[in-house]
Amino acid sequence: MLNFLKNSFKRSKQHHYVGEIDLEVSYCNWDIKIPFNNMLELIKYFLHLAYTSDMEELTYFLIADDEKDLQKKIYSCLPLYQCLIQKTEWNSIFPEFSKFWMKFNKKELDNLLKDPFFDDYHALLKRDKNMDKCSRKYPLLELYAFVKLQSIAAHKLPAELTLDMQWIWKNLDLIRELDHFGFYEVIADVYKTLGMEWFTDRGKNDPIMYEWTCMAINACIITKNISYDELKKDLNNLYSELLIIFTINDTIEKNQDIIDMVLDSLADIENSSLDVLAQKIQSLEKENAHLKVENYKLKEGYELLKDQVKLLQSDSEQSDDAKVEAISRRINSLFPKSVETNADIVQFSSIFNSLKPSTQHDLKSAISLIDNFQGYDLALLQLTRSVEREFIVNFIVPFQESSFYYDIKDPYCNKKRYCITHKILMVGNKPTMGNIPFIGRAVLDSKAMKASNVIEVFSIFLEDNREPFAKICKDLGNYEIGIKNFKLVDIRNGIAHGDDNVTGDIDQDTYEQVNKMLFEPPMQILSNIIKYSMKKM
């Protein structure tokens, strides 16, 4: 461990001040003074945030907000990591690096370490005897408390607030250090809260992200915090994405180390369907030598995509929502984030820049599916995913991040018929196409608002946008498509489980009807979601 630490950091000549201590810190671009004179003060601050009921304060820790951090004397995780936490890792090896940092009341800290917040830290020390070889008492305690607090904040707050945390863990390679040090419990908690896509970065197709994902899954295997059946599904999804990505990019041989890492993970979880995929990878290693023409590689990838979609559609153990997520990930793998399309996107032009980058990518991939393969069914799936995502981002997340939500001290729902809508509006949950119409009805229903204080506060939160919001929800629930009068949710779920009664009638006309519904008057649902957005501009 000591050699790993010594080789992991390249210290710059920048200096920052922690109280009266002059710290030489790696990669620090923040001009701030952090008021912690020693380890005890830092740990007490982290413990305070871990148990605070002030979600605004916890939010400021999770994501930087320019000058607000300094004004409120709250310090965000990104500058804390770059200007302090990295320093303390060195301090575990070279205590003379900052003699002042270890000057505090040791009995007071020992008493604090009895708090359940540190249970995983004690498990780490017990598991890894090499920790005793560190030159300092309380080795890596600051790093542990930092990432433990991040995992707690990620559980309590919307996932959209974890961008800085995501940057630290993946772009600054912190997860590699956490895996090396054996911080499995924290890694597994974050994986359980945020899921596989948080680690793979939703199809950005950077191979290293799949290595991080595999590390996280291994942590879950070690800690047993997620059932093996769920981890099998995730490994199945991970394997399938790699097959498509490495096939269309002709990079299977180049990324053999990542493939081997996935195979090592599979050694602990037996699954015959994954063995079949492993054999497929081996055969593709030979076939890829012949995939020299881009169009041919794309066609091969599309054929592989169709095969995998059929397998997903026939999987009786997964819900329609889980299948939609998995199919969409496969499509994103076929069309990398950097995909360029010559297709005319004039229909999206008025709102395109207001959409999330992942939605922009979904719309482009829908066009590419049609241009290249006439894949109307999968293109429609991308459109429905775009609507769900933008609905969440523009209405649900702003509510969950607002003072309206934080002021609800004791959420309750005393009527069973409103409990699903009540739960969907709370942090940690997201609506799908089938839930949206019920939310629209609830915000105008006095009985629903009386039954649930969360529904009542959400209705108040919408203010002047309440009626337009309800109409958006109603249109999504009522609009009928094609000669069989399918609802949008029928199409979405029909594609998810391969219902021939639905997919057999999806053609160009169906796709164009949905397009009009989303982008053109009188409904222009996606345009209205942006128009009446509750996001702070």
Side-chain angles (χ1 to χ4, degrees):
M1 182 182 71
L2 300 184
N3 288 334
F4 175 83
L5 268 173
K6 292 174 182 177
N7 295 328
S8 292
F9 299 98
K10 297 179 180 178
R11 287 173 286 160
S12 71
K13 294 182 179 180
Q14 300 182 61
H15 288 72
H16 294 265
Y17 293 87
V18 178
E20 298 177 353
I21 307 171
D22 187 11
L23 299 183
E24 188 177 355
V25 185
S26 312
Y27 309 116
C28 190
N29 298 316
W30 299 78
D31 186 19
I32 62 175
K33 291 183 179 180
I34 301 176
F36 303 116
N37 291 297
N38 53 54
M39 179 196 292
L40 178 60
E41 291 183 6
L42 178 69
I43 295 303
K44 289 169 72 173
Y45 178 69
F46 283 162
L47 266 178
H48 160 71
L49 289 180
Y51 291 107
T52 184
S53 59
D54 187 343
M55 292 299 101
E56 185 177 20
E57 186 177 16
L58 195 59
T59 297
Y60 281 133
F61 164 75
L62 201 57
I63 190 163
D65 194 2
D66 302 327
E67 296 301 319
K68 289 184 179 179
D69 296 342
L70 300 180
Q71 292 171 4
K72 292 179 175 290
K73 295 183 179 180
I74 299 171
Y75 303 92
S76 298
C77 62
L78 186 54
L80 273 176
Y81 178 70
Q82 292 183 299
C83 298
L84 180 60
I85 301 302
Q86 285 184 317
K87 147 69 186 176
T88 65
E89 293 179 51
W90 277 98
N91 188 256
S92 288
I93 304 171
F94 306 115
E96 69 277 6
F97 205 54
S98 174
K99 295 179 181 179
F100 295 100
W101 187 246
M102 297 300 292
K103 286 189 175 181
F104 55 85
N105 186 328
K106 304 297 191 297
K107 289 184 178 180
E108 184 178 357
L109 180 56
D110 288 339
N111 192 47
L112 289 178
L113 291 179
K114 297 175 183 178
D115 189 278
F117 179 87
F118 298 101
D119 285 351
D120 294 337
Y121 180 70
H122 296 307
L124 169 66
L125 295 180
K126 186 176 181 180
R127 183 170 58 237
D128 187 356
K129 301 303 181 183
N130 288 326
M131 285 291 186
D132 295 334
K133 298 178 182 179
C134 288
S135 302
R136 189 200 79 177
K137 193 175 182 181
Y138 314 113
L140 301 175
L141 177 59
E142 303 95 329
L143 177 63
Y144 167 80
F146 176 74
V147 294
K148 180 67 175 179
L149 178 58
Q150 283 185 318
S151 73
I152 291 172
H155 182 73
K156 291 182 178 180
L157 298 168
E160 285 74 13
L161 295 177
T162 62
L163 293 178
D164 284 354
M165 176 181 168
Q166 196 174 40
W167 178 267
I168 295 169
W169 279 52
K170 298 193 304 181
N171 295 74
L172 298 184
D173 296 352
L174 176 60
I175 187 172
R176 184 190 292 277
E177 297 168 38
L178 299 181
D179 178 76
H180 179 85
F181 296 144
F183 284 34
Y184 302 126
E185 288 82 4
V186 176
I187 297 173
D189 284 346
V190 170
Y191 188 91
K192 186 174 183 179
T193 298
L194 297 172
M196 186 179 79
E197 290 184 4
W198 190 83
F199 288 89
T200 61
D201 222 0
R202 300 189 60 81
K204 285 186 177 178
N205 300 332
D206 181 352
I208 197 68
M209 301 300 180
Y210 293 97
E211 184 176 338
W212 300 161
T213 308
C214 204
M215 285 181 179
I217 292 175
N218 283 338
C220 294
I221 294 172
I222 292 170
T223 60
K224 298 181 175 63
N225 74 323
I226 298 177
S227 72
Y228 276 5
D229 286 342
E230 289 300 313
L231 293 176
K232 286 177 186 178
K233 292 176 184 177
D234 285 356
L235 282 170
N236 191 3
N237 285 328
L238 185 64
Y239 231 154
S240 300
E241 289 182 33
L242 293 179
L243 277 172
I244 295 175
I245 292 166
F246 296 160
T247 296
I248 64 173
N249 292 324
D250 194 12
T251 57
I252 284 184
E253 184 175 352
K254 181 180 178 181
N255 292 297
Q256 186 62 50
D257 57 334
I258 296 177
I259 294 172
D260 290 342
M261 191 173 186
V262 178
L263 291 172
D264 289 341
S265 299
L266 294 176
D268 295 324
I269 301 182
E270 296 180 1
N271 188 291
S272 59
S273 65
L274 294 176
D275 290 338
V276 172
L277 286 171
Q279 295 171 7
K280 185 70 174 177
I281 282 186
Q282 293 173 358
S283 66
L284 282 170
E285 289 179 302
K286 298 178 181 178
E287 294 173 13
N288 264 273
H290 305 290
L291 299 179
K292 301 299 182 183
V293 182
E294 285 298 319
N295 287 339
Y296 183 55
K297 288 191 288 186
L298 188 60
K299 181 179 178 182
E300 289 289 301
Y302 183 64
E303 292 302 317
L304 187 57
L305 170 65
K306 290 197 297 184
D307 289 343
Q308 292 182 7
V309 168
K310 288 179 181 177
L311 286 173
L312 284 167
Q313 290 171 333
S314 61
D315 187 349
S316 60
E317 296 183 2
Q318 294 201 57
S319 67
D320 288 345
D321 293 341
K323 290 178 183 179
V324 168
E325 290 287 338
I327 293 171
S328 184
R329 284 198 301 268
R330 305 294 197 279
I331 295 171
N332 286 336
S333 299
L334 180 64
F335 297 105
K337 198 105 180 176
S338 58
V339 68
E340 295 294 336
T341 176
N342 294 322
D344 182 9
I345 60 169
V346 66
Q347 68 204 82
F348 316 139
S349 60
S350 63
I351 62 170
F352 195 75
N353 291 334
S354 300
L355 301 173
K356 281 181 66 70
S358 49
T359 301
Q360 294 175 356
H361 179 251
D362 281 355
L363 295 178
K364 286 186 176 182
S365 67
I367 295 172
S368 296
L369 279 167
I370 292 171
D371 284 352
N372 291 286
F373 311 111
Q374 289 75 54
Y376 294 107
D377 53 346
L378 296 182
L380 277 178
L381 192 69
Q382 293 297 79
L383 291 186
T384 60
R385 287 272 297 129
S386 297
V387 173
E388 288 176 335
R389 181 187 300 109
E390 292 299 324
F391 183 89
I392 292 167
V393 167
N394 287 282
F395 296 114
I396 305 302
V397 170
F399 170 61
Q400 294 174 346
E401 294 178 0
S402 71
S403 59
F404 289 84
Y405 183 83
Y406 293 153
D407 288 342
I408 303 174
K409 303 303 181 184
D410 185 21
Y412 66 81
C413 183
N414 54 30
K415 292 286 185 180
K416 185 176 180 180
R417 63 179 297 183
Y418 302 116
C419 283
I420 293 177
T421 302
H422 167 90
K423 184 177 179 180
I424 286 169
L425 292 173
M426 298 185 68
V427 168
N429 301 289
K430 295 179 179 179
T432 59
M433 193 65 68
N435 307 133
I436 290 174
F438 294 96
I439 301 174
R441 289 199 288 269
V443 298
L444 300 178
D445 184 348
S446 59
K447 293 181 180 179
M449 288 183 273
K450 185 177 181 180
S452 162
N453 58 344
V454 176
I455 294 175
E456 179 184 26
V457 172
F458 180 59
S459 180
I460 295 170
F461 164 76
L462 291 171
E463 298 179 325
D464 294 339
N465 287 348
R466 190 179 303 109
E467 293 286 346
F469 171 84
K471 185 177 186 306
I472 290 170
C473 298
K474 181 179 179 180
D475 288 343
L476 282 171
N478 290 348
Y479 188 73
E480 296 179 339
I481 303 158
I483 59 175
K484 293 186 178 179
N485 296 326
F486 288 125
K487 304 289 181 64
L488 200 58
V489 67
D490 296 329
I491 292 177
R492 171 193 184 275
N493 294 343
I495 297 170
H497 55 75
D499 185 348
D500 290 336
N501 186 47
V502 176
T503 58
D505 288 320
I506 294 177
D507 55 16
Q508 181 176 354
D509 184 61
T510 310
Y511 177 81
E512 289 178 353
Q513 283 188 56
V514 174
N515 245 338
K516 289 181 179 179
M517 170 192 179
L518 298 182
F519 299 104
E520 298 179 17
M523 286 192 179
Q524 53 187 24
I525 289 174
L526 196 52
S527 301
N528 282 336
I529 288 176
I530 301 301
K531 179 179 179 181
Y532 297 107
S533 171
M534 296 301 295
K535 284 198 302 184
K536 294 180 180 179
M537 306 306 289

